């Protein structure tokens, strides 16, 4: 039941789910990673805000690009019959793993406004922290909120479709 109610069923639901998760993630993960790297200041906060309009669509594109490899990785770990929570947890781990690798480099480039070797050279010093922050936000904030919205979305859609169907007693036979 959870798979059916808390995850997207169609492209419209998938778009809504991705928009919710990416919006929450970009607005929490990017500032936290930046503050962990350079410290908190209003100047830093405003620089993060200026980068978000470029970062958000980049994250959406990367989510779509890593979906297939992340799903393949999840399917190697998860087994049919695993619980909803186990499957979702493995899925989040696989997606965050791949996205954090890419965004540890690309996010740095977007945030600084320049392409350099700096995020590649410092990758193994920065990636574990970035991964941990992203995993925390995804598992405890972004994904639960998106799954709750999906559940409400599906309940309303199911109610609408049930109300448009005629009950069998209403059918008139000639």
């Amino acid at each position: 039941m959870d798979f059916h109610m808390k995850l997207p069923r169609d492209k419209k639901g998938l778009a809504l789910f991705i928009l919710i998760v990416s919006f929450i993630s970009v607005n929490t993960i990017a500032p936290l990673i930046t503050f962990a790297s350079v410290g908190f200041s209003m100047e830093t906060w405003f620089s993060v805000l200026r980068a978000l309009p470029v970062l958000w669509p980049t994250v959406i594109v990367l989510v779509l690009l890593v979906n297939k490899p992340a799903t393949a990785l999840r399917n190697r770990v998860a087994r049919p019959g695993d619980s909803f929570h186990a499957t979702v947890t493995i899925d989040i781990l696989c997606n965050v793993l791949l996205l954090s690798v890419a965004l540890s480099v690309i996010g740095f480039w977007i945030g600084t406004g320049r392409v350099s070797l700096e995020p590649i050279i410092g990758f193994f010093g920065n990636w574990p922290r970035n991964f941990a922050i992203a995993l925390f936000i995804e598992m405890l904030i972004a994904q639960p909120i998106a799954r709750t919205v999906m559940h409400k979305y599906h309940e309303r859609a199911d109610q609408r479709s049930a109300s448009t169907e005629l009950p069998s007693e209403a059918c008139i036979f000639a």
Side-chain angles (χ1 to χ4, degrees):
M1 183 62 133
D2 281 338
F3 287 103
H4 184 67
M5 293 302 289
K6 293 183 178 179
L7 296 175
R9 296 182 197 168
D10 54 22
K11 289 182 181 183
K12 186 177 175 184
L14 179 62
L16 177 62
F17 190 83
I18 289 173
L19 285 173
I20 293 167
V21 171
S22 65
F23 181 80
I24 294 168
S25 298
V26 165
N27 283 285
T28 55
I29 296 169
L32 288 173
I33 287 173
T34 304
F35 299 153
S37 297
V38 298
F40 178 80
S41 70
M42 290 309 287
E43 182 182 330
T44 303
W45 176 252
F46 289 126
S47 72
V48 171
L49 290 178
R50 283 190 296 274
L52 293 183
V54 176
L55 188 59
W56 190 20
T58 303
V59 167
I60 291 172
V61 168
L62 286 172
V63 165
L64 296 172
L65 289 174
V66 304
N67 183 47
K68 206 171 210 173
T71 300
L73 184 58
R74 181 201 66 213
N75 290 340
R76 291 181 60 88
V77 177
R79 297 288 170 243
D82 282 353
S83 72
F84 173 76
H85 294 292
T87 303
V88 166
T89 300
I90 293 166
D91 189 68
I92 292 170
L93 277 167
C94 295
N95 277 283
V96 169
L97 173 69
L98 298 177
L99 287 167
S100 66
V101 167
L103 286 166
S104 288
V105 175
I106 296 168
F108 180 90
W109 291 342
I110 291 170
T112 60
R114 63 185 168 77
V115 175
S116 70
L117 291 177
E118 192 175 340
I120 297 167
I121 293 168
F123 180 82
F124 291 106
N126 294 324
W127 175 77
R129 179 202 59 222
N130 297 350
F131 174 77
I133 290 170
L135 185 62
F136 176 82
I137 296 295
E138 288 295 315
M139 297 218 27
L140 299 178
I141 300 170
Q143 294 264 343
I145 290 171
R147 286 193 303 274
T148 301
V149 170
M150 277 288 103
H151 192 268
K152 299 289 183 197
Y153 173 80
H154 292 318
E155 281 179 343
R156 288 188 183 124
D158 292 348
Q159 286 172 353
R160 279 192 301 269
S161 67
S163 68
T164 60
E165 295 173 1
L166 290 175
S168 59
E169 304 86 45
C171 293
I172 300 173
F173 297 101

